Amino acid sequence: MIKHLTARGLSALALTALPVLAPTPAHGAAPAAPAPALHRRVFPEPPPADVVRAELDRLTVEPPHSMAGYSRAMFPHWARQYGECDTREVVLSRDGHEVTQDSACRAITGTWYSEYDDKTVDSASKIDIDHMVPLANGWRSGADTWDTAKRKRFANDLDNSQLIAVSAASNRSKGDQAPDQWTPPNTFYWCTYSRAWTHIKSLYGLSVTAAERTKLIEMLNTCD
């Protein structure tokens, strides 16, 4: 697995134990503060490829469900996590380097490495928080039958490999597409991406299409 740990991963691991120093605020401005140490962690590592291959073998293969009734509002997202911080701000802090936040938990300084397109971004406004398995794809693969509580859990899952900070450009290029329709331009990330995608589908009991499964197998083969 070491050869698949990218520069961002190494940087994040090295920095999690370091303090984050906020710049001196302007007179009268709300002071900036680092994220609480409790929440300073890296993107949750998905299981190894051999475990994920077994998970993929157990997933139901079927055509996509109808999009009838879907809206993003069906998945309450960016839920409050602690203090003034919602899920988006927690992920921005977790995935960034030297991130500082204002009193409302908004990221005001920091840099972010976007795994999808191998780019470093220096403004939170240029970063999106991507759902590894998009909400609409989740709907098409089984979330249409869930209750609101489960959809909220899926949309705000910080414990598993479902949420990641990436460049806005790469996230919007991806949209709600499955791996057979879109893959990260950074092919060095294919191993982690396919492991994360498959693991989330397995955890939540979601299905895959035949084409999606074929592409996931191809991407998992880059882990060898």
Side-chain angles (χ1 to χ4, degrees):
M1 295 304 300
I2 295 298
K3 68 179 181 179
H4 300 291
L5 191 60
T6 63
R8 169 187 170 276
L10 288 170
S11 174
L13 286 172
L15 290 165
T16 49
L18 297 178
V20 179
L21 299 178
T24 302
H27 179 68
L38 178 63
H39 299 278
R40 295 294 308 284
R41 52 182 185 166
V42 296
F43 176 73
E45 184 72 13
D50 56 342
V51 173
V52 172
R53 287 188 180 99
E55 291 179 335
L56 181 58
D57 285 343
R58 292 192 292 269
L59 294 184
T60 299
V61 179
E62 63 181 8
H65 299 190
S66 168
M67 287 295 287
Y70 170 78
S71 77
R72 287 180 65 84
M74 301 290 287
F75 295 79
H77 51 291
W78 308 160
R80 182 71 60 86
Q81 295 294 335
Y82 62 90
E84 296 298 315
C85 301
D86 63 19
T87 304
R88 170 182 163 79
E89 298 299 345
V90 171
V91 178
L92 280 172
S93 175
R94 183 198 71 186
D95 289 1
H97 171 42
E98 295 186 346
V99 176
T100 59
Q101 299 166 305
D102 65 15
S103 60
C105 206
R106 294 181 295 254
I108 54 174
T109 65
T111 58
W112 292 264
Y113 176 69
S114 174
E115 296 279 14
Y116 288 179
D117 48 1
D118 188 29
K119 294 184 177 179
T120 298
V121 179
D122 62 4
S123 171
S125 65
K126 300 176 183 177
I127 288 290
D128 280 355
I129 305 306
D130 182 46
H131 290 93
M132 182 66 64
V133 176
L135 305 183
N137 184 280
W139 182 273
R140 291 193 295 269
S141 53
D144 56 329
T145 66
W146 297 350
D147 61 19
T148 300
K150 186 170 182 179
R151 292 192 192 115
K152 181 177 181 180
R153 189 162 65 250
F154 177 76
N156 297 276
D157 189 344
L158 293 167
D159 296 320
N160 300 292
S161 50
Q162 168 66 338
L163 296 168
I164 185 170
V166 295
S167 70
S170 66
N171 183 50
R172 293 165 199 184
S173 173
K174 172 182 173 177
D176 65 357
Q177 298 176 95
D180 57 300
Q181 303 163 318
W182 184 90
T183 53
N186 178 17
T187 58
F188 290 105
Y189 198 61
W190 280 20
C191 174
T192 301
Y193 189 84
S194 56
R195 288 161 47 226
W197 179 287
T198 303
H199 185 55
I200 291 298
K201 287 225 158 175
S202 176
L203 284 174
Y204 284 91
L206 297 171
S207 62
V208 292
T209 66
E212 178 184 350
R213 184 179 188 278
T214 297
K215 188 63 179 184
L216 286 167
I217 292 171
E218 176 189 340
M219 296 175 74
L220 286 168
N221 287 341
T222 68
C223 300
D224 298 329

